[in-house]
């Protein structure tokens, strides 16, 4: 088995897009990182695993990435760290450590006992990377317990939002009941709230709009989540948020129920059917029409088939469509761009990463970009956190394209302060509560002997991706 890296560059998908092979620079980066880790661990007298689980391993990995990408001429972004960071803990911590309030607005897990298993059959998830984690029921490898370990023990994440994947009530691997139970499990002690909860609605399915009320009555919902490119095979292939048949009634019902946040998946198209509805062209008009609602744009319209570069007003897919929609609508201030899967994907190409982050910050402003990781599919989000802490946009790209510098202050906002404002939280108050709750006590014990796996969960190749799609019977 190929040795795992603490900062992962691989082909893993969240199941909503086909895995994309790594380009030569990323493959070279992984090779250099493995060599750098072996060399550094030997030089300072640590075994490989001990070296990997701390900041030193992350620093050595990012340093190797820098060398590989620079050799390929990709210098629009880089990971800022001192040359001694792979060998000296203080230098490593300065690059990849931090004390930010990290609030991950996109988390997922699978309900092992959900109704979806009746249709999915015994082979569901069996080919996924983490299905051999040692549990008697392999679906437990993707359960709430796995999520809580990966997110709250093996990463610096303080809070999160448990979101939903597309599907009807009987085909959704994370049904609403299980999401509520996980939230209660995470809110372990002292009345703190580690996890917020989304409601779900697929307006193209019968009864979904009417079902919103029951969800809001049972739990305090932080948002309603929807997928505009979702539709049953025998019905509409999707919808737009600004249409009067599905989009507007959905938004107005959320408002009536007192839920002012609309979380909408844009980009990462599932396939050809419904592809047009993955476009973010409707975001500006919908936001302008509903100024009292907030629109949280999951994945920021990113499309893996589009190579992100400087803004192109003629683009038909990718983040540029979201940017254009905002500009044409007069840049409404009730829209937020979210980074789940998006940041994780562009980590493989620092030029794309710099363009994507630069465009979002330039268009939305530093107060309107949200941190999300789409974990559990990528395992622990710690590597995404460490990479974002160290990443910087080159001065050349700043001057040429008008992108802002990625300052520590901006990163703090993206990591959690912006989402805290959207969800009505006071970070300092939450810090005090979280510092003494049961999860924190468990983490303090765990850190005496941490055991991160550096594993990923989602499909890694086309065969795994197609199998994953078959288990979700109503997926387009």
């Amino acid at each position: 088995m190929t040795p795992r890296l603490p900062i992962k560059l691989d082909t893993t998908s969240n199941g909503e897009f086909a895995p994309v092979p790594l380009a030569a620079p990323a493959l070279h980066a992984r090779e250099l990182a493995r060599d750098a880790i072996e060399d550094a661990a030997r030089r300072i007298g640590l075994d490989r695993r001990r070296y990997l689980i701390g900041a030193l391993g992350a620093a050595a990995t990012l340093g190797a990435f820098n060398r590989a990408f620079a050799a390929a001429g990709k210098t629009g972004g880089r990971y800022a760290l001192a040359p001694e960071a792979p060998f000296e803990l203080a230098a490593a911590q300065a690059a990849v450590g931090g004390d930010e309030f990290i609030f991950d607005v996109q988390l997922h897990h699978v309900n092992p006992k959900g109704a979806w298993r009746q249709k999915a059959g015994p082979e569901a998830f069996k080919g996924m990377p983490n299905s051999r984690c040692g549990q008697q029921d392999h679906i437990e490898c993707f359960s709430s317990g796995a999520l809580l370990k990966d997110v709250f023990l093996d990463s610096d994440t303080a809070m999160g939002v448990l979101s939903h994947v597309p599907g009807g009530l009987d085909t959704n691997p994370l049904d609403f009941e299980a999401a509520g139970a996980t939230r209660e499990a995470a809110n372990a002690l002292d009345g703190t709230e580690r996890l917020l909860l989304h409601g779900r609605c697929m307006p193209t399915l019968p009864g979904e709009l009417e079902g919103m009320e029951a969800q809001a009555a049972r739990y305090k919902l932080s948002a309603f989540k929807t997928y505009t490119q979702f539709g049953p095979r025998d019905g509409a292939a999707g919808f737009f948020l600004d249409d009067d048949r599905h989009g507007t009634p959905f938004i107005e019902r959320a408002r009536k129920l007192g839920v002012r946040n609309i979380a909408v998946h844009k980009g990462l198209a599932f396939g050809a059917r419904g592809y047009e509805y993955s476009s973010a062209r409707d975001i500006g008009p919908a936001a302008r029409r509903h100024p009292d609602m907030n629109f949280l744009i999951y994945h920021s319209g990113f499309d893996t088939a589009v190579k992100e570069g400087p803004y192109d007003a003629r683009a038909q897919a990718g983040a540029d469509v979201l940017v254009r929609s905002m500009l044409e609508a007069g840049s409404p201030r009730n829209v937020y761009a979210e980074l789940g899967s998006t940041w994780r994907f562009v980590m493989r190409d620092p030029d794309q990463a710099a363009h994507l982050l630069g465009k979002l910050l330039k268009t939305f402003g530093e107060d309107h970009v949200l941190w999300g990781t789409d974990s559990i599919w990528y395992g622990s989000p710690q590597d995404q956190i460490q990479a974002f802490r160290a990443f910087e946009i080159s001065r050349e790209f700043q001057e040429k394209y008008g992108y802002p510098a990625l300052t520590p202050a901006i990163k703090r906002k993206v990591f959690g302060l912006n989402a805290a404002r959207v969800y009505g939280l006071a970070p300092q108050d939450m810090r005090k509560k979280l510092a003494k709750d049961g999860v924190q006590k468990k983490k303090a014990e765990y850190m005496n002997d941490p055991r991160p796996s550096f594993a990923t969960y989602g499909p890694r190749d086309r065969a795994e991706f197609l199998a994953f799609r078959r288990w979700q019977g109503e997926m387009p």
Side-chain angles (χ1 to χ4, degrees), residues 2 39 169 272 296-297 339-340 430:
T2 304
D39 176 66
L169 288 175
L296 319 181
I297 314 307
L339 296 175
M430 291 308 304

Side-chain angles (χ1 to χ4, degrees), residues 57 237 294 306 468:
N294 290 322
V306 176
F468 185 89

Side-chain angles (χ1 to χ4, degrees), residues 459-475:
R460 299 160 297 185
D461 55 39
R462 185 164 181 79
E464 290 180 354
F465 172 69
L466 292 177
F468 185 89
R469 289 281 298 276
R470 284 194 294 271
W471 303 325
Q472 294 175 282
E474 288 180 344
M475 284 284 285

Side-chain angles (χ1 to χ4, degrees), residues 37-66:
I37 286 169
E38 298 293 343
D39 176 66
R42 186 167 52 248
R43 283 176 58 178
I44 64 175
L46 285 178
D47 66 71
R48 187 179 190 277
R49 177 150 189 92
R50 285 278 308 280
Y51 184 82
L52 284 181
I53 63 176
L56 293 172
T61 303
L62 292 177
F65 290 178
N66 278 342

Side-chain angles (χ1 to χ4, degrees), residues 15 49 53 67 79 109 154 180 206 230 246 273 317 344 377 452:
R49 177 150 189 92
I53 63 176
R67 294 192 294 276
Y79 299 103
H109 75 78
D154 282 327
F230 179 87
H246 298 298
R273 188 173 189 273
R344 210 271 183 174
W377 306 119

Side-chain angles (χ1 to χ4, degrees), residues 178-245:
T182 300
R183 179 177 182 270
E184 291 173 354
N187 298 345
L189 290 174
D190 300 326
T192 59
E193 294 186 348
R194 291 271 175 176
L195 278 175
L196 304 185
L197 183 63
H198 279 170
R200 55 169 298 285
C201 181
M202 306 297 155
T204 52
L205 294 180
E208 289 278 306
L209 288 174
E210 294 77 10
M212 293 168 68
E213 186 170 358
Q215 297 178 53
R218 179 156 188 187
Y219 293 107
K220 180 182 178 182
L221 300 179
S222 299
F224 271 106
K225 174 80 174 289
T226 194
Y227 290 75
T228 57
Q229 64 267 63
F230 179 87
R233 293 188 183 279
D234 58 352
F239 69 102
F240 283 116
L241 284 179
D242 62 344
D243 74 42
D244 291 330
R245 181 180 179 189

